[in-house]
Amino acid sequence: MDPRTSSAARLTWRACAAATLAASLPLVACTAADATPQSTTPATAAALGVVAAPAAGAAVKTTPIAKASKETTTHVHLREGASSGTRSLGVIPRGHVFSTSAKTANGWFKLSYAGKTGFVSPHYVRNFNAGLTKVGEKDYVTTQNGARDLWFTTRTATVTWKSLTFTVPSGTPVWKLGGAGKFKVNAGGYRNAVMTTSGLSRTSPAPASNTSKISLAAFKKLPVGNIPTKYLARTDFSTHALIGAPAVADLNALNKAFRARFGEDLYIDLGYRSSSQQRAIYRELGGWLAAKPGTSVHEKGLSFDTPEHGAYSWNSARFAWLVANAPKYGWEHPKRVHRYTSAGKLNPAREYWHFDYVGKGK
């Protein structure tokens, strides 16, 4: 609850705001979890009703733990010590992913953020799951979701997941999870889908460039969801996802710049989807996470998705960089999936993971 919504809380809000500004922190600190930012004066700390911070330089004992990836579940303070009574060093945004290898006796995790090292409460942190997103009672996952045994289809392949059956084109990346003859894979956004072992290769048969020389204007006239494979190409990085041939060179160039900035490849979760695949995903996920068949830009071969997790989320450095730099390479985060509408309201169709190709100079 926003602390400004009740008259009894307004004095606390005002004191918090005053202390926040004095400490050069953003006002979001007063609505963040563990919201008791402190100034350096004992009087302000007393006004907030919090325990005084320990002396500067006071050692905080930690215990080594196995290195783990964590994700913040809300805006939360990075504290100088392992309690909410210690000075705030800043506010860590929701969805921030970090690695930690130490925690205190009361469970607070030690980490570095924005050039400062401190502690965060375990109540606002969860284990980082690289890919799993809950949709109702059903698991919708990123294509890889931790699997490492990468294969590619060498022809149109049939994939079955529970009661859903769909086809994927030649050159589609799939990750083998086990089995013989018919084996489990991560494919098309589904974990533990089933397909046959025939027609698979360790290398993608898709071209790595626009070998057909088709123009973007001509490509846009191809049948949605049924694009001939000769007009699709694979990226030269990451998952080697399929994308419309006229867009692949610019996507490869975008990745080169991304790698220079972050020291790793841009992770492409999903690229082109066949109409069969779109129908299956729409049936399973409905109109929020999947567009109506025949209208998805994925079916047109001119969009990609990053993973649906914190490393690429709204407040992440990767997302901010992509929004600022993707247009240089003909890609954009389209307005229809922005976080907020033009009226400033939360957009029900928001997607931080989705980017479209519009071509350079657009």
Side-chain angles (χ1 to χ4, degrees):
M1 181 179 71
D2 190 325
R4 295 165 290 182
T5 57
S6 67
S7 58
R10 276 195 284 269
L11 287 177
T12 301
W13 163 259
R14 289 168 184 165
C16 181
T20 296
L21 295 174
S24 299
L25 297 174
L27 281 175
V28 71
C30 291
T31 53
D34 180 25
T36 54
Q38 296 184 32
S39 71
T40 57
T41 66
T44 306
L48 290 170
V50 297
V51 180
V60 178
K61 293 183 179 180
T62 60
T63 301
I65 60 173
K67 189 174 183 180
S69 293
K70 303 289 182 178
E71 180 179 16
T72 55
T73 59
T74 186
H75 295 299
V76 64
H77 289 279
L78 178 68
R79 294 287 179 182
E80 188 175 52
S83 79
S84 59
T86 58
R87 185 167 64 94
S88 175
L89 302 177
V91 177
I92 303 175
R94 178 182 179 181
H96 175 69
V97 177
F98 64 93
S99 294
T100 182
S101 57
K103 69 177 181 179
T104 62
N106 60 347
W108 285 55
F109 294 104
K110 184 178 182 180
L111 71 148
S112 295
Y113 177 76
K116 298 178 181 179
T117 299
F119 301 85
V120 66
S121 169
H123 297 299
Y124 310 110
V125 169
R126 65 186 173 191
N127 290 330
F128 172 60
N129 188 329
L132 184 60
T133 300
K134 284 286 189 181
V135 182
E137 296 300 317
K138 301 161 185 175
D139 289 341
Y140 179 69
V141 302
T142 60
T143 307
Q144 185 174 1
N145 195 43
R148 298 184 181 280
D149 194 5
L150 177 60
W151 295 74
F152 299 91
T153 56
T154 58
R155 59 172 183 262
T156 300
T158 299
V159 179
T160 301
W161 186 84
K162 294 186 177 180
S163 62
L164 300 177
T165 298
F166 54 91
T167 58
V168 295
S170 173
T172 298
V174 298
W175 283 265
K176 184 177 177 181
L177 301 178
K182 288 188 175 181
F183 61 86
K184 293 181 178 180
V185 296
N186 287 348
Y190 294 104
R191 181 174 56 183
N192 291 327
V194 177
M195 63 183 299
T196 64
T197 56
S198 60
L200 291 178
S201 171
R202 286 291 191 185
T203 57
S204 174
S209 62
N210 186 7
T211 55
S212 66
K213 306 298 183 183
I214 188 171
S215 67
L216 181 59
F219 183 84
K220 289 181 177 180
K221 296 178 182 179
L222 296 175
V224 175
N226 292 287
I227 297 174
T229 53
K230 67 179 180 179
Y231 298 128
L232 298 172
R234 59 176 171 83
T235 61
D236 65 5
F237 62 93
S238 183
T239 59
H240 301 292
L242 289 177
I243 206 78
V248 73
D250 286 335
L251 184 51
N252 288 337
L254 173 61
N255 175 67
K256 186 176 180 180
F258 183 93
R259 187 169 58 239
R261 168 63 180 82
F262 293 100
E264 63 186 31
D265 283 331
L266 172 64
Y267 190 93
I268 303 297
D269 180 23
L270 291 170
Y272 171 70
R273 286 191 190 128
S274 67
S275 59
S276 171
Q277 186 179 354
Q278 189 68 30
R279 285 194 298 270
I281 290 178
Y282 184 77
R283 177 182 168 187
E284 180 66 15
L285 303 180
W288 181 59
L289 284 178
K292 185 177 180 180
T295 67
S296 172
V297 186
H298 285 289
E299 291 177 276
K300 299 175 183 179
L302 296 175
S303 68
F304 71 80
D305 286 352
T306 62
E308 296 166 30
H309 62 63
Y312 286 87
S313 64
W314 297 112
N315 297 313
S316 69
R318 291 171 179 80
F319 174 74
W321 187 92
L322 284 169
V323 169
N325 291 276
K328 301 174 185 177
Y329 303 92
W331 292 86
E332 69 172 14
H333 186 243
K335 289 183 178 180
R336 70 179 184 280
V337 296
H338 281 190
R339 194 174 193 174
Y340 297 102
T341 66
S342 57
K345 296 182 179 180
L346 200 62
N347 180 9
R350 60 192 181 277
E351 296 181 358
Y352 56 77
W353 53 84
H354 185 94
F355 289 80
D356 287 344
Y357 186 70
V358 294
K360 288 184 177 179
K362 300 295 184 180

